[in-house]
Amino acid sequence: MSKYKAVGYVRLSYTEDHSEESDSVTNQKKLIREFVFRQPDIELVSERVDDGYSGVLFDRPAFQEMMAEIAAGAINCVIVKDLSRLGREYIETGRYLQRTFPAYGVRFISINDNIDTAHEHSGDHLHISLRTLLDDGYSHDISKKTRSALKSKRNNGDYVGACPIYGYQRDPDNKNHLVIDEYAAQVVRDIFRRRIDGYSAKKIADVLNELGILSPLAYKIS
């Protein structure tokens, strides 16, 4: 009996609570491997992981690698922990499940949702549509709550940027508060002083390079 060539697809979003052990990358992999071990007609030949990617968009690198495997004919079965791992956007998720995967002859299995398109009554459109609608609603709800939380922090004067602007650094005692980075701040003061003295932007850059001053990006990396 020929076996299905399966890919275990795992996704974890930054917006999700990483303390939730059941949703961790490790446990998603474990669940999929244990499931495949009990299926004599499935062979797990690939694992793809998008760690830190939203389920709303589908330009995730591991997801695209998985689709390339499918297009190449190396994979004909996709296994996920639950439907939300595949995607949380109703229209695009539905398109993959109802059009793209069937067009490639791909079997889709969502373990916790009891969806298996190889079985006649397991992957019916109504069941899948309801699940993707719920996941889509959850995604919009999380997005709304995140925007609200960021707005509240800004109103309180908290810093919510990903990286402090050159000349500042995060307060070691409060990540939402910035303090002056004395080294970088002195470089900024020197730039302004030279500009006031009539130096051109190129001349200032040349002087900083001669002094071995790192660029803001290089300084951040260092």
Side-chain angles (χ1 to χ4, degrees), residues 35-47:
F35 173 83
V36 172
F37 181 76
R38 300 191 300 269
Q39 311 301 316
D41 62 333
I42 301 176
E43 177 185 3
L44 188 64
V45 299
S46 177
E47 289 182 321

Side-chain angles (χ1 to χ4, degrees), residues 175-209:
K175 66 178 182 179
N176 293 317
H177 179 243
L178 298 183
V179 295
I180 293 175
D181 179 344
E182 288 298 339
Y183 172 81
Q186 186 55 50
V187 174
V188 173
R189 296 187 192 105
D190 190 47
I191 290 172
F192 275 91
R193 181 180 59 78
R194 293 179 187 278
R195 187 61 175 167
I196 291 172
D197 289 343
Y199 281 59
S200 67
K202 182 179 184 307
K203 178 62 176 175
I204 293 174
D206 290 341
V207 171
L208 294 177
N209 287 332

Side-chain angles (χ1 to χ4, degrees), residues 47-68:
E47 289 182 321
R48 296 296 179 182
V49 179
D50 279 317
D51 190 357
Y53 287 87
S54 168
V56 175
L57 302 177
F58 285 81
D59 58 351
R60 304 166 232 145
F63 184 86
Q64 293 302 320
E65 291 169 0
M66 178 183 74
M67 292 308 301

Side-chain angles (χ1 to χ4, degrees), residues 10-215:
V10 174
R11 184 186 65 79
L12 189 67
S13 170
Y14 283 141
T15 62
E16 293 167 329
D17 186 355
H18 284 216
S19 69
E20 287 293 335
E21 189 67 13
S22 63
D23 276 341
S24 71
V25 168
T26 300
N27 279 273
Q28 287 184 58
K29 284 184 175 181
K30 182 181 178 182
L31 180 71
I32 292 171
R33 290 170 184 173
E34 289 178 348
F35 173 83
V36 172
F37 181 76
R38 300 191 300 269
Q39 311 301 316
D41 62 333
I42 301 176
E43 177 185 3
L44 188 64
V45 299
S46 177
E47 289 182 321
R48 296 296 179 182
V49 179
D50 279 317
D51 190 357
Y53 287 87
S54 168
V56 175
L57 302 177
F58 285 81
D59 58 351
R60 304 166 232 145
F63 184 86
Q64 293 302 320
E65 291 169 0
M66 178 183 74
M67 292 308 301
E69 287 183 309
I70 290 173
I75 294 296
N76 62 356
C77 181
V78 174
I79 305 175
V80 295
K81 169 184 172 284
D82 57 55
L83 199 52
S84 67
R85 300 306 100 195
L86 182 71
R88 289 192 181 276
E89 201 278 329
Y90 173 68
I91 295 176
E92 276 299 292
T93 302
R95 183 173 69 84
Y96 276 100
L97 294 177
Q98 298 177 21
R99 294 187 180 182
T100 305
F101 288 166
Y104 283 108
V106 171
R107 176 183 182 181
F108 176 76
I109 299 173
S110 174
I111 299 171
N112 286 355
D113 296 310
N114 293 316
I115 293 174
D116 184 347
T117 55
H119 300 155
E120 183 179 358
H121 300 294
S122 176
D124 64 275
H125 288 184
L126 178 59
H127 183 189
I128 293 175
S129 295
L130 287 174
R131 287 299 314 166
T132 52
L133 272 174
L134 289 172
D135 291 333
D136 195 4
Y138 172 84
S139 179
H140 285 295
D141 183 53
I142 288 293
S143 178
K144 183 178 178 180
K145 289 178 179 177
T146 300
R147 290 196 302 270
S148 177
L150 290 176
K151 181 179 179 180
S152 177
K153 285 187 174 183
R154 293 190 189 99
N155 291 339
N156 290 332
D158 291 338
Y159 181 75
V160 297
C163 179
I165 192 170
Y166 187 72
Y168 292 89
Q169 61 185 2
R170 292 189 187 277
D171 186 338
D173 299 322
N174 181 0
K175 66 178 182 179
N176 293 317
H177 179 243
L178 298 183
V179 295
I180 293 175
D181 179 344
E182 288 298 339
Y183 172 81
Q186 186 55 50
V187 174
V188 173
R189 296 187 192 105
D190 190 47
I191 290 172
F192 275 91
R193 181 180 59 78
R194 293 179 187 278
R195 187 61 175 167
I196 291 172
D197 289 343
Y199 281 59
S200 67
K202 182 179 184 307
K203 178 62 176 175
I204 293 174
D206 290 341
V207 171
L208 294 177
N209 287 332
E210 290 172 4
L211 293 173
I213 303 298
L214 297 176
S215 69

